[in-house]
Amino acid sequence: MADGIMGISVIAQDWKGFVLGGCTRVKRNHMSVEWAELDALIKGITMAWSYNFDKIIFESDCVSLANCVRKNQEDITILGHKIKDTRGMLEIFTSAEVKWIGRNRNKVADSLYNLALSNHCNLNFSM
């Protein structure tokens, strides 16, 4: 995040690691990391659904979001309510999992985000 600007990046890959598409969005508002990562997860769910995936693994470098989605605990905050709604979105897939991954494994998403940030634009691509 730089000067109140943050963004999200979503990359869709098949089971062999081939990149099928992706997007990045630059956001000009102040939101917490959890809200930004939840926004990316929702965009990823939408993208996976559009590719007709039925078994999917979502990866995030935000450990708190990954834990909240995986643990089906009651959370009465606004973020907790939105996470619960997002968990319901995962039910459209035969199998869906949210995993935490280290930040260094997000090189493609980070590169895409940096490109969008330096050009002050949103990007979409598909193969």
Side-chain angles (χ1 to χ4, degrees):
M1 181 164 67
D3 299 325
I5 298 173
M6 67 182 337
I8 62 168
S9 293
V10 177
I11 305 296
Q13 298 174 297
D14 68 9
W15 64 276
K16 292 181 180 178
F18 182 77
V19 175
L20 301 169
C23 69
T24 189
R25 299 281 179 264
V26 176
K27 307 255 182 198
R28 285 170 176 71
N29 59 8
H30 299 279
M31 60 174 41
S32 72
V33 172
E34 287 83 5
W35 276 103
E37 290 287 331
L38 182 59
D39 193 21
L41 176 59
I42 292 167
K43 182 65 179 165
I45 291 168
T46 304
M47 185 180 291
W49 180 77
S50 73
Y51 282 115
N52 293 318
F53 292 154
D54 63 339
K55 296 179 182 175
I56 188 89
I57 298 171
F58 297 97
E59 297 176 333
S60 174
D61 63 2
C62 181
V63 70
S64 60
L65 177 70
N67 283 338
C68 286
V69 173
R70 291 175 62 135
K71 296 177 182 176
N72 201 8
Q73 296 176 332
E74 190 66 30
D75 181 348
I76 61 171
T77 66
I78 296 170
L79 179 63
H81 179 72
K82 188 67 175 176
I83 289 171
K84 183 178 179 181
D85 288 348
T86 304
R87 242 187 255 115
M89 292 173 68
L90 294 173
E91 293 175 6
I92 64 175
F93 303 104
T94 303
S95 171
E97 187 177 350
V98 177
K99 289 184 174 184
W100 173 81
I101 60 166
R103 184 156 182 80
N104 62 343
R105 293 201 39 218
N106 275 340
K107 292 185 190 307
V108 174
D110 285 343
S111 295
L112 189 62
Y113 167 71
N114 287 326
L115 179 64
L117 184 62
S118 65
N119 290 302
H120 303 286
C121 67
N122 297 326
L123 300 170
N124 294 300
F125 71 93
S126 61
M127 306 302 268

mmCIF file with all atom_site columns, all heavy atoms in Angstrom, residues 9-22:
data_model
loop_
_atom_site.group_PDB
_atom_site.id
_atom_site.type_symbol
_atom_site.label_atom_id
_atom_site.label_alt_id
_atom_site.label_comp_id
_atom_site.label_asym_id
_atom_site.label_entity_id
_atom_site.label_seq_id
_atom_site.pdbx_PDB_ins_code
_atom_site.Cartn_x
_atom_site.Cartn_y
_atom_site.Cartn_z
_atom_site.occupancy
_atom_site.B_iso_or_equiv
_atom_site.pdbx_formal_charge
_atom_site.auth_seq_id
_atom_site.auth_comp_id
_atom_site.auth_asym_id
_atom_site.auth_atom_id
_atom_site.pdbx_PDB_model_num
ATOM 1   N N   . SER A 1 9  ? -4.881 -8.550  -6.427  1.00 0.00 ? 9  SER A N   1
ATOM 2   C CA  . SER A 1 9  ? -4.545 -9.291  -7.639  1.00 0.00 ? 9  SER A CA  1
ATOM 3   C C   . SER A 1 9  ? -5.080 -10.697 -7.507  1.00 0.00 ? 9  SER A C   1
ATOM 4   O O   . SER A 1 9  ? -4.989 -11.307 -6.447  1.00 0.00 ? 9  SER A O   1
ATOM 5   C CB  . SER A 1 9  ? -3.037 -9.345  -7.855  1.00 0.00 ? 9  SER A CB  1
ATOM 6   O OG  . SER A 1 9  ? -2.527 -8.068  -8.128  1.00 0.00 ? 9  SER A OG  1
ATOM 7   N N   . VAL A 1 10 ? -5.639 -11.214 -8.596  1.00 0.00 ? 10 VAL A N   1
ATOM 8   C CA  . VAL A 1 10 ? -6.192 -12.560 -8.628  1.00 0.00 ? 10 VAL A CA  1
ATOM 9   C C   . VAL A 1 10 ? -5.624 -13.255 -9.862  1.00 0.00 ? 10 VAL A C   1
ATOM 10  O O   . VAL A 1 10 ? -5.664 -12.692 -10.959 1.00 0.00 ? 10 VAL A O   1
ATOM 11  C CB  . VAL A 1 10 ? -7.739 -12.521 -8.708  1.00 0.00 ? 10 VAL A CB  1
ATOM 12  C CG1 . VAL A 1 10 ? -8.312 -13.920 -8.814  1.00 0.00 ? 10 VAL A CG1 1
ATOM 13  C CG2 . VAL A 1 10 ? -8.319 -11.777 -7.522  1.00 0.00 ? 10 VAL A CG2 1
ATOM 14  N N   . ILE A 1 11 ? -5.088 -14.445 -9.668  1.00 0.00 ? 11 ILE A N   1
ATOM 15  C CA  . ILE A 1 11 ? -4.538 -15.245 -10.755 1.00 0.00 ? 11 ILE A CA  1
ATOM 16  C C   . ILE A 1 11 ? -5.263 -16.586 -10.758 1.00 0.00 ? 11 ILE A C   1
ATOM 17  O O   . ILE A 1 11 ? -5.399 -17.220 -9.715  1.00 0.00 ? 11 ILE A O   1
ATOM 18  C CB  . ILE A 1 11 ? -3.022 -15.502 -10.566 1.00 0.00 ? 11 ILE A CB  1
ATOM 19  C CG1 . ILE A 1 11 ? -2.257 -14.194 -10.385 1.00 0.00 ? 11 ILE A CG1 1
ATOM 20  C CG2 . ILE A 1 11 ? -2.459 -16.329 -11.718 1.00 0.00 ? 11 ILE A CG2 1
ATOM 21  C CD1 . ILE A 1 11 ? -2.284 -13.275 -11.570 1.00 0.00 ? 11 ILE A CD1 1
ATOM 22  N N   . ALA A 1 12 ? -5.730 -17.017 -11.929 1.00 0.00 ? 12 ALA A N   1
ATOM 23  C CA  . ALA A 1 12 ? -6.374 -18.328 -12.074 1.00 0.00 ? 12 ALA A CA  1
ATOM 24  C C   . ALA A 1 12 ? -5.410 -19.255 -12.806 1.00 0.00 ? 12 ALA A C   1
ATOM 25  O O   . ALA A 1 12 ? -4.895 -18.918 -13.864 1.00 0.00 ? 12 ALA A O   1
ATOM 26  C CB  . ALA A 1 12 ? -7.669 -18.206 -12.869 1.00 0.00 ? 12 ALA A CB  1
ATOM 27  N N   . GLN A 1 13 ? -5.136 -20.414 -12.191 1.00 0.00 ? 13 GLN A N   1
ATOM 28  C CA  . GLN A 1 13 ? -4.250 -21.412 -12.774 1.00 0.00 ? 13 GLN A CA  1
ATOM 29  C C   . GLN A 1 13 ? -4.948 -22.758 -12.792 1.00 0.00 ? 13 GLN A C   1
ATOM 30  O O   . GLN A 1 13 ? -5.783 -23.036 -11.937 1.00 0.00 ? 13 GLN A O   1
ATOM 31  C CB  . GLN A 1 13 ? -2.981 -21.571 -11.934 1.00 0.00 ? 13 GLN A CB  1
ATOM 32  C CG  . GLN A 1 13 ? -2.135 -20.331 -11.845 1.00 0.00 ? 13 GLN A CG  1
ATOM 33  C CD  . GLN A 1 13 ? -0.976 -20.535 -10.889 1.00 0.00 ? 13 GLN A CD  1
ATOM 34  O OE1 . GLN A 1 13 ? -1.193 -20.753 -9.705  1.00 0.00 ? 13 GLN A OE1 1
ATOM 35  N NE2 . GLN A 1 13 ? 0.231  -20.463 -11.409 1.00 0.00 ? 13 GLN A NE2 1
ATOM 36  N N   . ASP A 1 14 ? -4.575 -23.608 -13.755 1.00 0.00 ? 14 ASP A N   1
ATOM 37  C CA  . ASP A 1 14 ? -5.101 -24.964 -13.737 1.00 0.00 ? 14 ASP A CA  1
ATOM 38  C C   . ASP A 1 14 ? -4.244 -25.826 -12.811 1.00 0.00 ? 14 ASP A C   1
ATOM 39  O O   . ASP A 1 14 ? -3.303 -25.336 -12.184 1.00 0.00 ? 14 ASP A O   1
ATOM 40  C CB  . ASP A 1 14 ? -5.204 -25.544 -15.154 1.00 0.00 ? 14 ASP A CB  1
ATOM 41  C CG  . ASP A 1 14 ? -3.853 -25.796 -15.816 1.00 0.00 ? 14 ASP A CG  1
ATOM 42  O OD1 . ASP A 1 14 ? -2.800 -25.684 -15.151 1.00 0.00 ? 14 ASP A OD1 1
ATOM 43  O OD2 . ASP A 1 14 ? -3.854 -26.103 -17.020 1.00 0.00 ? 14 ASP A OD2 1
ATOM 44  N N   . TRP A 1 15 ? -4.570 -27.100 -12.709 1.00 0.00 ? 15 TRP A N   1
ATOM 45  C CA  . TRP A 1 15 ? -3.883 -27.976 -11.761 1.00 0.00 ? 15 TRP A CA  1
ATOM 46  C C   . TRP A 1 15 ? -2.415 -28.190 -12.103 1.00 0.00 ? 15 TRP A C   1
ATOM 47  O O   . TRP A 1 15 ? -1.622 -28.605 -11.267 1.00 0.00 ? 15 TRP A O   1
ATOM 48  C CB  . TRP A 1 15 ? -4.617 -29.310 -11.642 1.00 0.00 ? 15 TRP A CB  1
ATOM 49  C CG  . TRP A 1 15 ? -4.637 -30.106 -12.911 1.00 0.00 ? 15 TRP A CG  1
ATOM 50  C CD1 . TRP A 1 15 ? -5.515 -29.977 -13.949 1.00 0.00 ? 15 TRP A CD1 1
ATOM 51  C CD2 . TRP A 1 15 ? -3.735 -31.139 -13.290 1.00 0.00 ? 15 TRP A CD2 1
ATOM 52  N NE1 . TRP A 1 15 ? -5.217 -30.868 -14.943 1.00 0.00 ? 15 TRP A NE1 1
ATOM 53  C CE2 . TRP A 1 15 ? -4.122 -31.596 -14.566 1.00 0.00 ? 15 TRP A CE2 1
ATOM 54  C CE3 . TRP A 1 15 ? -2.646 -31.733 -12.678 1.00 0.00 ? 15 TRP A CE3 1
ATOM 55  C CZ2 . TRP A 1 15 ? -3.457 -32.606 -15.237 1.00 0.00 ? 15 TRP A CZ2 1
ATOM 56  C CZ3 . TRP A 1 15 ? -1.978 -32.746 -13.351 1.00 0.00 ? 15 TRP A CZ3 1
ATOM 57  C CH2 . TRP A 1 15 ? -2.383 -33.165 -14.609 1.00 0.00 ? 15 TRP A CH2 1
ATOM 58  N N   . LYS A 1 16 ? -1.998 -27.865 -13.332 1.00 0.00 ? 16 LYS A N   1
ATOM 59  C CA  . LYS A 1 16 ? -0.594 -27.979 -13.725 1.00 0.00 ? 16 LYS A CA  1
ATOM 60  C C   . LYS A 1 16 ? 0.178  -26.683 -13.493 1.00 0.00 ? 16 LYS A C   1
ATOM 61  O O   . LYS A 1 16 ? 1.371  -26.623 -13.730 1.00 0.00 ? 16 LYS A O   1
ATOM 62  C CB  . LYS A 1 16 ? -0.486 -28.352 -15.204 1.00 0.00 ? 16 LYS A CB  1
ATOM 63  C CG  . LYS A 1 16 ? -0.962 -29.743 -15.519 1.00 0.00 ? 16 LYS A CG  1
ATOM 64  C CD  . LYS A 1 16 ? -0.791 -30.025 -17.001 1.00 0.00 ? 16 LYS A CD  1
ATOM 65  C CE  . LYS A 1 16 ? -1.274 -31.420 -17.343 1.00 0.00 ? 16 LYS A CE  1
ATOM 66  N NZ  . LYS A 1 16 ? -1.145 -31.685 -18.795 1.00 0.00 ? 16 LYS A NZ  1
ATOM 67  N N   . GLY A 1 17 ? -0.518 -25.627 -13.059 1.00 0.00 ? 17 GLY A N   1
ATOM 68  C CA  . GLY A 1 17 ? 0.116  -24.346 -12.823 1.00 0.00 ? 17 GLY A CA  1
ATOM 69  C C   . GLY A 1 17 ? 0.062  -23.398 -14.007 1.00 0.00 ? 17 GLY A C   1
ATOM 70  O O   . GLY A 1 17 ? 0.612  -22.304 -13.963 1.00 0.00 ? 17 GLY A O   1
ATOM 71  N N   . PHE A 1 18 ? -0.615 -23.806 -15.099 1.00 0.00 ? 18 PHE A N   1
ATOM 72  C CA  . PHE A 1 18 ? -0.743 -22.943 -16.270 1.00 0.00 ? 18 PHE A CA  1
ATOM 73  C C   . PHE A 1 18 ? -1.686 -21.784 -15.937 1.00 0.00 ? 18 PHE A C   1
ATOM 74  O O   . PHE A 1 18 ? -2.800 -21.996 -15.462 1.00 0.00 ? 18 PHE A O   1
ATOM 75  C CB  . PHE A 1 18 ? -1.274 -23.739 -17.468 1.00 0.00 ? 18 PHE A CB  1
ATOM 76  C CG  . PHE A 1 18 ? -1.385 -22.939 -18.723 1.00 0.00 ? 18 PHE A CG  1
ATOM 77  C CD1 . PHE A 1 18 ? -0.263 -22.639 -19.468 1.00 0.00 ? 18 PHE A CD1 1
ATOM 78  C CD2 . PHE A 1 18 ? -2.621 -22.472 -19.156 1.00 0.00 ? 18 PHE A CD2 1
ATOM 79  C CE1 . PHE A 1 18 ? -0.363 -21.884 -20.630 1.00 0.00 ? 18 PHE A CE1 1
ATOM 80  C CE2 . PHE A 1 18 ? -2.738 -21.720 -20.316 1.00 0.00 ? 18 PHE A CE2 1
ATOM 81  C CZ  . PHE A 1 18 ? -1.597 -21.431 -21.052 1.00 0.00 ? 18 PHE A CZ  1
ATOM 82  N N   . VAL A 1 19 ? -1.235 -20.569 -16.185 1.00 0.00 ? 19 VAL A N   1
ATOM 83  C CA  . VAL A 1 19 ? -2.043 -19.390 -15.882 1.00 0.00 ? 19 VAL A CA  1
ATOM 84  C C   . VAL A 1 19 ? -3.135 -19.242 -16.938 1.00 0.00 ? 19 VAL A C   1
ATOM 85  O O   . VAL A 1 19 ? -2.862 -19.170 -18.128 1.00 0.00 ? 19 VAL A O   1
ATOM 86  C CB  . VAL A 1 19 ? -1.172 -18.124 -15.818 1.00 0.00 ? 19 VAL A CB  1
ATOM 87  C CG1 . VAL A 1 19 ? -2.033 -16.885 -15.633 1.00 0.00 ? 19 VAL A CG1 1
ATOM 88  C CG2 . VAL A 1 19 ? -0.152 -18.237 -14.691 1.00 0.00 ? 19 VAL A CG2 1
ATOM 89  N N   . LEU A 1 20 ? -4.393 -19.211 -16.479 1.00 0.00 ? 20 LEU A N   1
ATOM 90  C CA  . LEU A 1 20 ? -5.549 -19.088 -17.364 1.00 0.00 ? 20 LEU A CA  1
ATOM 91  C C   . LEU A 1 20 ? -6.027 -17.648 -17.503 1.00 0.00 ? 20 LEU A C   1
ATOM 92  O O   . LEU A 1 20 ? -6.625 -17.274 -18.498 1.00 0.00 ? 20 LEU A O   1
ATOM 93  C CB  . LEU A 1 20 ? -6.690 -19.947 -16.848 1.00 0.00 ? 20 LEU A CB  1
ATOM 94  C CG  . LEU A 1 20 ? -6.391 -21.433 -16.727 1.00 0.00 ? 20 LEU A CG  1
ATOM 95  C CD1 . LEU A 1 20 ? -7.486 -22.132 -15.956 1.00 0.00 ? 20 LEU A CD1 1
ATOM 96  C CD2 . LEU A 1 20 ? -6.211 -22.054 -18.090 1.00 0.00 ? 20 LEU A CD2 1
ATOM 97  N N   . GLY A 1 21 ? -5.776 -16.856 -16.491 1.00 0.00 ? 21 GLY A N   1
ATOM 98  C CA  . GLY A 1 21 ? -6.229 -15.474 -16.524 1.00 0.00 ? 21 GLY A CA  1
ATOM 99  C C   . GLY A 1 21 ? -5.988 -14.808 -15.191 1.00 0.00 ? 21 GLY A C   1
ATOM 100 O O   . GLY A 1 21 ? -5.472 -15.419 -14.252 1.00 0.00 ? 21 GLY A O   1
ATOM 101 N N   . GLY A 1 22 ? -6.364 -13.559 -15.116 1.00 0.00 ? 22 GLY A N   1
ATOM 102 C CA  . GLY A 1 22 ? -6.197 -12.838 -13.870 1.00 0.00 ? 22 GLY A CA  1
ATOM 103 C C   . GLY A 1 22 ? -6.663 -11.408 -13.987 1.00 0.00 ? 22 GLY A C   1
ATOM 104 O O   . GLY A 1 22 ? -7.086 -10.949 -15.052 1.00 0.00 ? 22 GLY A O   1
#
